[in-house]
Amino acid sequence: MSSNNWSSPLRVRPQPTLTIAKSELTRTKILNAALDFIWSHPFRDMTVSAVMASAGASRAAFYQYFSDLHTLMETLLDMVQEEIFDACSPWVTGVGDPVALIGEALAGLVQVGYERGPFLRAITDAAATDRRFEDAWRQF
């Protein structure tokens, strides 16, 4: 399958609550729009306008949640870090057969790598020429 035909396979989901606030839905749309963009474009091509056009919201809405594109990407990086920790948790915190638990953890890590690979590639590519991303990547 050509990478041109791929689309971002996993979405950011709003935090589960009884009623989801409009603000949480807007923030989630922005995060998903950024993930979709990064799936097929380098970070250097990302603009607030492009993200917000995809999210179906105004530029002003972007700045209610993020101070700039770097902050948006750092938020996504934090989310990926949490996904990695969650994937590893069966082995790290589990009780039982360690071989089965590490197999479960590795399967989870492979899934995260597939789902977030283009995003991680974008961060590492940007880190080569962008000090802020370099610092964020090192902390990751």
Side-chain angles (χ1 to χ4, degrees):
M1 173 187 294
S2 161
S3 63
N4 295 346
N5 297 325
W6 290 3
S7 62
S8 181
L10 185 67
R11 314 294 289 170
V12 173
R13 292 176 183 78
Q15 295 298 318
T17 60
L18 293 177
T19 57
I20 298 173
K22 181 180 178 186
S23 62
E24 178 65 19
L25 288 174
T26 301
R27 183 177 181 276
T28 301
K29 286 180 182 179
I30 295 168
L31 292 168
N32 284 327
L35 285 172
D36 287 344
F37 186 91
I38 289 299
W39 192 262
S40 57
H41 301 87
F43 173 75
R44 69 180 174 274
D45 292 345
M46 183 184 279
T47 64
V48 172
S49 295
V51 170
M52 297 313 288
S54 180
S58 69
R59 282 181 57 91
F62 177 89
Y63 294 105
Q64 290 177 342
Y65 305 99
F66 309 100
S67 58
D68 56 21
L69 290 172
H70 284 78
T71 305
L72 169 67
M73 296 295 280
E74 288 166 350
T75 299
L76 288 168
L77 190 59
D78 290 343
M79 293 172 75
V80 171
Q81 184 175 13
E82 190 173 310
E83 290 173 353
I84 289 169
F85 289 149
D86 288 347
C88 292
S89 69
W91 184 68
V92 173
T93 63
V95 175
D97 179 14
V99 173
L101 292 173
I102 200 165
E104 182 181 345
L106 288 172
L109 286 171
V110 168
Q111 187 67 28
V112 170
Y114 167 72
E115 292 167 351
R116 302 303 188 206
F119 170 74
L120 293 171
R121 182 205 66 234
I123 289 287
T124 58
D125 288 349
T129 59
D130 187 301
R131 178 66 179 220
R132 191 165 163 189
F133 279 138
E134 181 181 359
D135 292 343
W137 185 243
R138 282 187 182 163
Q139 288 179 5
F140 178 78

